[in-house]
Amino acid sequence: MKYTLVGTEGNLSFDLRDNAPMIVGRALTSDIPIPDPTISRRHAEVSIVDGKVHVRDLGSSNGTFRNGEQITASVCGNGDLVVFGKVSFKLEIIAPAGVRSPTPAGPPPLPDHGMGASPTAAVASQGPTKMAGATIVRALPADFKEVLAASLRSKEQKALKHDDVTAERQGSSVQERLTTLLDVSTELTKAVSLDALLEKIVDKCWGIFPIDRVAILLGDESNVLVPKIAKDRKGNTLGTMVPQSIARSVFGERQAIVSEDAGEDSRFAGQSIVLQQVRSAMCAPMVGSEGRALGVIYADCLFTRHRFTEDDLNFLIAFAGIAAVAVENSQFSERIRREALTRSNFERFFTPGLAARIAASPDALKLGGEKRMVAVLFSDIRGFTAMSEKMEADEMAKLLSEYFTEMVECVFKFGGTLDKFIGDAVMAQWGAPLSEEDDPDRAMGAAVEMMRDLERLNMRWAAEGRPQLQIGIGLNYGEAFAGNIGSERRLEYTVIGDTVNTASRLCGAAAGGEILLSEAMRNAMKKSPRLKSHPPMELKGKSHPLPVFSVEL
């Protein structure tokens, strides 16, 4: 005796083999592949032994059921309802040609197994449910292309049982729709921006569905739906036209909805539906990778010439799935372009690794800032003004370029941020926008390295008969305001405040070859070099003299 498992939704069926166990699982390599997240990769085993069907659960996450009761192993018969996870099948005998198979008594209704919606509940298969206004609710299939194709092929096969004319017409419809999906997926990859992509998705809708209006809403960073585009068949831009309760439900549950008569459907109840004279409507989620809902596509018909059916919904689900892939790719490309632009700007001031971390932050280009604890370094060339008066412009530019290159490398080597060049001075800081526990030690390490590198530069310049430089360095640690300051056209990430001013004053007081630091800087370091204490120093802007220390190099 031969048996078949027939999906209760009519889009999946599997013939069972005699004396050969078949594995039911989510993996495509399974004997009975079911692309649904409630199905484990190796969910159950089905076999026919001595004409009887044996079903054994393989330790699945969501269980296996026979006529509403969970089983570990059971013998099933003709007409039994077998459920794997949340996907149900009816076990039927395959009657020999010319023999009518017995009609079994209907199985008891499937109870609630107590399993909550899975994280990707959108792909949990669920039978159509008739509601007020002859409404059909369908869950989003996991692999929309495969399920749609299977559904259409199933209808084509059924048509073959009736007459050749119907079969030919049905086969043509199947081919046309699958071809359309292929064309759409190819076309949508050509859009250069998200806005252009949404326009293209809407344009494709007119050629696919018998609709009067279409709208696309996308979820923002807070998962709130935001209308992006809404048009009628004439190309007119529309205002609010989507029932918000429906859109939020489809988006939140990742479950497509169709209503054959929206005016009589309690879920579409609202003045907008009545006033807009909507006759039929459907809405499908755009689900991206890892089951994340990106938004919804809503379409409706204002006249009685067409009422959406389950076939229309199947095709909208498949179309929305393709659109979701295109939208996700577009959003990813835009983020990559934005990060590349941000990194190219930030890499002038930050180490490449730090620039990448900052660029990945969605707030990287926003105005404003925050108070942070920072270590600030200023270095300045002593007597450069008098020296520059004796040098040619190109010679001075070359000397400064070589000097600044070495100084910036010292800053980056110790993970610092190049804040700015101020004439022949260098300003750097540690602690913003990202901080480390040893920021003060890093700043001190950079200062010492700058002095040593300058010695090497001076030796080379002396051998070449070129001028030599001497610098003074000031270091301070404390609270400062850090953030992007400027206008939308030109932003500059910097730190400002008394901590910064004090570091600048210490730099101005340092002699050539000297590193001066404040008491706050000394106390903040975990590993301090040998320091020499100086008498309290009066600095501009300070009401009291400050304790000052210098590094013994």
Side-chain angles (χ1 to χ4, degrees), residues 4 35 53 78 90 124 177 209 211 215 262 282 284 336 375 408 478 509 516:
T4 184
V53 177
N78 184 40
K90 187 177 181 181
R177 288 201 160 188
F209 303 105
I211 57 179
M282 57 182 176
I336 292 298
V408 170
L516 293 182

Side-chain angles (χ1 to χ4, degrees), residues 112-395:
D112 183 0
H113 305 316
M115 295 180 290
S118 65
T120 50
V123 289
S125 300
Q126 175 179 322
T129 304
K130 292 289 181 180
M131 300 179 68
T135 300
I136 302 170
V137 179
R138 274 293 303 278
L140 179 68
D143 190 330
F144 52 86
K145 292 181 182 178
E146 182 176 323
V147 173
L148 178 70
S151 176
L152 296 176
R153 284 196 297 268
S154 175
K155 295 179 184 299
E156 181 181 1
Q157 292 168 359
K158 290 179 180 179
L160 288 171
K161 297 179 181 179
H162 290 83
D163 57 74
D164 293 339
V165 176
T166 303
E168 183 178 354
R169 187 183 303 118
Q170 196 78 5
S172 176
S173 174
V174 170
Q175 187 62 40
E176 287 175 3
R177 288 201 160 188
L178 291 177
T179 301
T180 300
L181 281 182
L182 180 61
D183 292 342
V184 166
S185 62
T186 303
E187 282 294 318
L188 293 186
T189 59
K190 299 178 182 179
V192 296
S193 68
L194 181 59
D195 291 339
L197 173 62
L198 297 181
E199 288 279 356
K200 188 166 289 189
I201 291 174
V202 167
D203 290 342
K204 288 296 180 182
C205 284
W206 305 126
I208 296 174
F209 303 105
I211 57 179
D212 293 309
R213 306 183 306 174
V214 63
I216 298 175
L217 296 84
L218 297 181
D220 61 12
E221 295 176 358
S222 303
N223 270 343
V224 176
L225 279 177
V226 178
K228 290 296 182 180
I229 186 172
K231 288 189 174 183
D232 62 15
R233 185 168 284 277
K234 295 180 180 179
N236 299 320
T237 299
L238 306 175
T240 302
M241 55 165 281
V242 181
Q244 291 300 308
S245 59
I246 294 298
R248 286 193 294 267
S249 174
V250 170
F251 181 70
E253 299 178 11
R254 299 185 292 279
Q255 190 176 64
I257 291 178
V258 62
S259 179
E260 297 178 9
D261 191 341
E264 296 296 326
D265 190 333
S266 60
R267 298 170 308 156
F268 284 80
Q271 289 296 318
S272 60
I273 290 293
V274 176
L275 294 175
Q276 296 173 40
Q277 298 181 325
V278 176
R279 300 302 303 173
S280 187
M282 57 182 176
C283 186
M286 292 189 291
V287 180
S289 61
E290 300 180 354
R292 184 172 67 92
L294 305 177
V296 300
I297 297 180
Y298 169 87
D300 61 26
C301 190
L302 304 180
F303 305 100
T304 58
R305 67 173 182 270
H306 184 83
R307 294 191 176 189
F308 298 129
T309 65
E310 188 177 1
D311 286 343
D312 294 319
L313 185 64
N314 274 336
F315 201 49
L316 180 64
I317 289 172
F319 179 79
I322 293 175
V325 173
V327 167
E328 191 169 47
N329 287 341
S330 178
Q331 290 176 335
F332 180 73
S333 296
E334 286 194 1
R335 181 165 63 87
I336 292 298
R337 286 194 294 269
R338 178 181 65 83
E339 290 184 8
L341 177 62
T342 305
R343 286 182 63 176
S344 66
N345 184 35
F346 280 145
E347 280 182 354
R348 294 180 297 165
F349 309 104
F350 305 104
T351 62
L354 182 58
R357 291 168 64 187
I358 298 170
S361 169
D363 299 326
L365 291 177
K366 292 183 179 179
L367 290 170
E370 59 184 338
K371 289 184 177 181
R372 299 187 68 92
M373 296 298 293
V374 295
V376 183
L377 178 153
F378 276 88
S379 73
D380 191 17
I381 300 176
R382 296 293 172 255
F384 182 75
T385 302
M387 182 186 301
S388 63
E389 292 175 352
K390 302 176 184 178
M391 299 173 63
E392 296 293 334
D394 57 345
E395 184 184 1

